[in-house]
């Protein structure tokens, strides 16, 4: 009889342990599903952006051109591909200095110097919504 009570006590303890493990696995599954759903609903289906490092100088320069373009006074903007200065101020804050050549409405060449400070918020590097313009100076 004593042996049977011991056996039942052990069985009850194992059942409690198994139930705890099932609840832990269930909780982990829910967390995993939430992460997958967030990734799927974010619209960014590029798996590389999940593990991407900070943007390169060329990537920062290319996004800087996209932000500078609408502010230009002339037409036919021409950005030199190698004529820019790149700096990193702090974590995710970048500075680009360069020139852009345009033409006035009369056809005269117009050279504009610019300096733009950008903050990378994460996400796809080529997406403007992943960036914030902190400062833009043109002269």
């Amino acid at each position: 009889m004593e042996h049977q009570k011991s056996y039942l006590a052990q069985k009850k303890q194992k059942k409690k342990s198994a139930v705890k493990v099932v609840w832990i696995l269930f909780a982990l599954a829910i967390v995993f599903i939430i992460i997958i759903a967030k990734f799927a609903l974010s619209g960014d289906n590029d798996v590389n952006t999940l593990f991407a490092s900070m943007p390169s100088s060329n990537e920062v320069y290319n996004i800087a051109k996209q932000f500078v373009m609408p502010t230009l006074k002339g037409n036919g903007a021409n950005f030199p591909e190698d004529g820019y200065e790149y700096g990193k101020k702090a974590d995710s804050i970048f500075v680009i200095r360069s020139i852009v050549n345009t033409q006035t409405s009369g056809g005269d060449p117009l050279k504009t110097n610019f300096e733009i400070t950008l903050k990378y918020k994460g996400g796809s590097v080529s997406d403007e919504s992943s960036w914030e313009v902190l400062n833009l100076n043109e002269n």
Side-chain angles (χ1 to χ4, degrees):
M1 187 71 165
E2 178 81 23
H3 180 66
Q4 189 176 10
K5 284 183 182 180
S6 175
Y7 172 76
L8 291 175
Q10 285 178 350
K11 191 172 178 182
K12 187 176 181 181
Q13 184 61 34
K14 285 182 183 179
K15 184 176 179 182
K16 280 185 182 180
S17 296
V19 169
K20 283 182 185 178
V21 169
V22 167
W23 278 110
I24 290 171
L25 289 175
F26 181 72
L28 290 174
I30 295 296
V31 169
F32 180 74
I33 289 170
I34 289 171
I35 290 170
I36 295 298
K38 182 174 171 129
F39 174 70
L41 296 175
S42 71
D44 186 7
N45 293 327
D46 185 4
V47 176
N48 295 328
T49 61
L50 289 177
F51 307 105
S53 60
M54 297 308 284
S56 69
S57 63
N58 285 335
E59 291 170 322
V60 176
Y61 182 54
N62 287 332
I63 201 73
K65 292 189 288 187
Q66 292 179 28
F67 284 112
V68 170
M69 187 79 74
T71 67
L72 297 173
K73 295 178 177 106
N75 300 321
N78 180 17
F79 292 89
E81 287 306 315
D82 59 351
Y84 68 90
E85 294 177 20
Y86 165 86
K88 186 173 178 185
K89 278 187 161 182
D91 189 33
S92 303
I93 298 180
F94 303 93
V95 178
I96 294 287
R97 285 187 199 108
S98 187
I99 60 167
V100 58
N101 297 310
T102 57
Q103 292 181 348
T104 63
S105 57
D108 295 328
L110 181 62
K111 180 179 171 180
T112 305
N113 296 306
F114 70 88
E115 178 178 306
I116 186 168
T117 305
L118 298 167
K119 179 178 182 178
Y120 178 59
K121 300 185 291 186
S124 176
V125 174
S126 60
D127 185 4
E128 285 186 27
S129 67
S130 297
W131 296 86
E132 177 183 350
V133 177
L134 300 178
N135 191 22
L136 174 58
N137 294 317
E138 295 177 356
N139 57 22

